[in-house]
Amino acid sequence: MENIQKDIAYSMIRRKSFNDARVLKKWQVIIDATELDEGYQKKNDYYLSRCYNRGKADKFMKYHRSVLEAKLYLGNDFVCSIASEPIENTEEYINQSDEKIKQDCESKAFVRLAKKIKKSFPRLPIIITADGLYVSQKVIQTCTDNGWDYIIRYKEGCAPSIAQEYQELPEKEKIGSEIEYQNQIMFQNTDVNLIYYTEKKIQADGEEKITKFAWITNITITKSNAKKIVKAGRNRWKIENI
């Protein structure tokens, strides 16, 4: 099945009709987790668990299985899956003591998924696009090691030091009233580039809705590519449930 998946993706990539979907001449690969099953019953030891109302009398557990998908974006909300990786507890986890238990998660699964992508598409120029769960040194280093660019949704709560350093800068680069950005923001032991986008939409009732988005990227942001980076970041949200 993985070989069929790879052959289909290669066929799509070779078609010049999809070249316009590329971002800065690179193919956009969107990382997206899909939940396969959830319930109150733990069906086997590989299921992940979530605790609700922790510390309260009505605390309860739910169990779930998920898979991490890498999807090649081909434009017009058209995607092609190129790799999959289960997010599940391993034998190593199952055999741990309660004090040392550390479940599998999306960032750990991403490292495993990245190995599959690199093996199947070793020379493909890639931009990884993901949501705020992937703002981590592990994910950034994995992209760097593989020679990939990344555009990752940023929410201030996941890495507050990025927003703090950005806000302390006396001046920011701006494009109109919609885009604001700055390069070389320190995040742990590396630099990232941060871009903000303010989206304004007129709703059916005539009211204006304002939504703010932000992304971190290793791509140096300029006035000529800022809108392309924003569009790539928004592409991830549009196809999240496809």
Side-chain angles (χ1 to χ4, degrees):
M1 290 297 294
E2 288 183 346
N3 287 334
I4 294 172
Q5 188 180 47
K6 183 175 71 173
D7 290 343
I8 292 173
Y10 266 116
S11 176
M12 295 297 187
I13 291 167
R14 292 190 183 102
R15 296 182 182 183
K16 293 183 179 180
S17 56
F18 295 114
N19 281 356
D20 289 344
R22 295 179 300 173
V23 179
L24 303 174
K25 296 185 179 181
K26 296 189 175 184
W27 293 95
Q28 187 174 5
V29 174
I30 298 168
I31 307 301
D32 184 28
T34 300
E35 194 165 274
L36 304 177
D37 183 33
E38 183 185 42
Y40 296 99
Q41 180 183 0
K42 186 177 181 180
K43 297 179 180 178
N44 60 54
D45 290 335
Y46 298 96
Y47 270 62
L48 304 179
S49 62
R50 292 193 187 106
C51 181
Y52 294 84
N53 301 334
R54 189 183 298 274
K56 299 181 180 179
D58 58 347
K59 181 183 78 171
F60 64 94
M61 302 291 293
K62 294 187 77 173
Y63 303 93
H64 64 101
R65 290 287 296 273
S66 301
V67 62
L68 194 63
E69 284 276 336
K71 301 176 182 179
L72 183 70
Y73 181 67
L74 299 170
N76 298 317
D77 296 338
F78 182 34
V79 296
C80 175
S81 180
I82 62 172
S84 304
E85 177 63 28
I87 307 172
E88 61 183 12
N89 293 322
T90 62
E91 294 290 345
E92 181 182 0
Y93 164 85
I94 294 167
N95 294 326
Q96 289 183 90
S97 64
D98 291 340
E99 294 79 15
K100 295 182 178 180
I101 283 178
K102 195 169 185 180
Q103 295 192 103
D104 197 11
C105 64
E106 289 187 34
S107 61
K108 291 180 182 178
F110 173 76
V111 176
R112 303 192 300 270
L113 183 68
K115 291 180 180 179
K116 291 183 176 181
I117 298 171
K118 192 65 176 179
K119 182 179 179 181
S120 297
F121 307 92
R123 296 187 300 275
L124 188 68
I126 285 175
I127 294 180
I128 295 291
T129 312
D131 63 23
L133 291 175
Y134 299 87
V135 179
S136 73
Q137 194 63 46
K138 182 184 293 184
V139 171
I140 290 173
Q141 191 60 52
T142 299
C143 291
T144 301
D145 291 345
N146 286 302
W148 301 335
D149 289 334
Y150 60 82
I151 301 172
I152 303 175
R153 177 76 190 277
Y154 173 68
K155 296 181 179 179
E156 296 182 6
C158 57
S161 63
I162 296 176
Q164 181 178 350
E165 183 174 344
Y166 182 83
Q167 296 302 328
E168 290 175 355
L169 294 171
E171 295 182 1
K172 289 90 172 177
E173 299 290 340
K174 295 184 178 182
I175 301 176
S177 60
E178 295 181 340
I179 296 176
E180 184 177 287
Y181 66 90
Q182 186 63 50
N183 294 303
Q184 295 184 313
I185 304 293
M186 180 59 69
F187 174 51
Q188 297 181 11
N189 62 352
T190 191
D191 283 340
V192 298
N193 308 317
L194 179 62
I195 185 167
Y196 283 91
Y197 170 63
T198 301
E199 182 182 77
K200 299 178 181 179
K201 286 186 176 181
I202 303 299
Q203 301 184 94
D205 58 4
E207 292 291 325
E208 184 180 59
K209 181 181 180 182
I210 298 176
T211 309
K212 293 187 177 182
F213 301 90
W215 297 269
I216 60 169
T217 178
N218 67 318
I219 302 168
T220 300
I221 307 167
T222 65
K223 291 188 183 298
S224 62
N225 70 12
K227 291 183 178 179
K228 294 178 182 179
I229 292 172
V230 167
K231 182 180 178 182
R234 295 293 285 128
N235 283 342
R236 194 217 64 81
W237 178 81
K238 289 179 181 178
I239 63 91
E240 185 173 11
N241 295 317
I242 293 178

